[in-house]
Amino acid sequence: MHVLQSLITLMVSTFIVALGLSQGLSWHLGNLGQGVRQLAFARGLGVCLVGVPLLALIVVKVLPVGPVAAGVIALMAFCPGLPMALNVVSQQKGNLPLTLALSITLSLVAIVLMPLSLKLLERLFPMAIHSPPYGVLLKRVILPFLVPFALGLGLQKVAPGWAHRLHGPVKVYFNIALAVAAAAMIIAAFPLLKDLHVWAFVAMGVVTLGSAALGHVAGRPRPGDRTALAISAVFGNPAFAFCLGSSTYRMRTLVGVMGLYLLLRTLALVPYLVWNQRHQASERGGGPSQPSGRRASAGT
């Protein structure tokens, strides 16, 4: 168990750095500007910053999910940033410039709003959420993201070739570290997970598919925009949530459920992804799907 806790601490402390660096290396002004100028960008911000958190709060207040599961679902809904969405959007032939613009914008907004969001969640879920002091947030989440983000931006300016070569390995490390941390969290918290009520799993599925539905509707009428917003609404930023979960002793009870939720929401999204591919093909007369926006540089 001590080895697992050490592994979790190492992964959590490093993947937030990798996330910031990768986002900075992804900041291509051409692609970003193309995404921000699209009408669906504002709708995507509304869905991710307002629609998904409201949906999560309603679901956990209506269903008897228990305080820990409720806190996890709400916390992850309040941590937008979708670092993993670009890969899925690319596979689904969605609008990549739009997704990139949302990913970077939401990550920065989440950092700015984090102290206020945690204060609100602490009042709504006092048994599960404990807002850490601002100094802890600054040390564990805000600076470990913003400093590498700034370094990535600087590297793009002074050495764009090196920035391009570095981006791929950083992205791979982030995805591996996040997966390892989530798996270790689930194993370490397995006794707690066995006690979760079935309604907790129902709530996770409802929030996942409900978020996808909100994004899908907001992205109309273009198929690529629908795909981008649906996936962006589901894939919030587990890196921020994991770092917050490990920030104080009281919050550490959440991390195992966070790992489980990350796995379950990925699985719960599969029916939408299958349906979406078939729906796009039928809209285009059964031919191969084409992305609606110019392909952006892959990023987290």
Side-chain angles (χ1 to χ4, degrees):
M1 188 63 67
H2 178 71
V3 174
L4 278 177
Q5 292 297 338
S6 299
L7 180 62
I8 292 170
T9 301
L10 174 63
M11 294 295 100
V12 168
S13 63
T14 56
F15 66 50
I16 189 71
V17 174
L19 172 63
L21 181 58
S22 181
Q23 293 280 45
L25 295 172
S26 300
W27 190 288
H28 299 289
L29 291 179
N31 289 327
L32 185 64
Q34 182 185 355
V36 169
R37 289 191 297 268
Q38 297 181 32
L39 293 177
F41 176 76
R43 298 199 298 270
L45 289 181
V47 167
C48 294
L49 293 175
V50 180
V52 172
L54 279 178
L55 172 64
L57 291 178
I58 292 172
V59 169
V60 299
K61 289 297 184 181
V62 171
L63 299 179
V65 300
V68 173
V72 166
I73 294 171
L75 180 61
M76 294 187 78
F78 275 76
C79 289
L82 45 140
M84 299 174 294
L86 277 167
N87 290 337
V88 183
V89 171
S90 177
Q91 294 168 3
Q92 291 281 307
K93 310 300 182 183
N95 188 333
L96 284 175
L98 174 62
T99 310
L100 174 64
L102 284 171
S103 176
I104 295 174
T105 303
L106 288 170
S107 293
L108 295 176
V109 170
I111 284 289
V112 173
L113 296 182
M114 192 173 292
L116 294 176
S117 299
L118 285 171
K119 289 294 184 183
L120 173 62
L121 291 175
E122 185 178 35
R123 298 191 65 175
L124 293 173
F125 307 97
M127 295 181 63
I129 303 295
H130 177 231
S131 179
Y134 185 76
V136 174
L137 283 179
L138 192 68
K139 179 181 178 182
R140 296 199 177 190
V141 186
I142 298 176
L143 288 180
F145 174 81
L146 288 181
V147 172
F149 179 78
L151 290 175
L153 287 177
L155 189 60
Q156 278 211 72
K157 294 294 184 181
V158 300
W162 279 102
H164 178 73
R165 287 190 289 270
L166 182 61
H167 180 261
V170 172
K171 174 185 172 184
V172 170
Y173 177 79
F174 170 80
N175 290 329
I176 292 175
L178 185 63
V180 171
M185 288 173 181
I186 294 174
I187 295 171
F190 189 71
L192 173 64
L193 300 181
K194 291 191 299 183
D195 295 331
L196 283 180
H197 197 278
V198 65
W199 283 112
F201 300 97
V202 173
M204 292 175 184
V206 169
V207 171
T208 298
L209 293 178
S211 299
L214 287 175
H216 188 88
V217 172
R220 291 179 175 176
R222 300 176 64 193
D225 292 351
R226 292 200 307 257
T227 299
L229 294 194
I231 295 171
S232 297
V234 173
F235 283 106
N237 201 322
F240 288 163
F242 286 173
C243 288
L244 292 172
S246 63
S247 61
T248 65
Y249 180 78
R250 280 178 56 188
M251 294 273 280
R252 288 175 190 168
T253 57
L254 305 181
V255 292
V257 183
M258 286 180 184
L260 178 65
Y261 184 28
L262 181 63
L263 173 63
L264 289 180
R265 78 179 184 185
T266 302
L267 296 175
L269 189 62
V270 171
Y272 169 79
L273 298 179
V274 173
W275 173 85
N276 185 57
Q277 284 188 324
R278 294 176 178 174
H279 186 57
Q280 286 193 59
S282 65
E283 284 186 321
R284 295 174 174 122
S289 299
Q290 297 295 328
S292 66
R294 181 170 57 86
R295 286 196 173 272
S297 297
T300 54

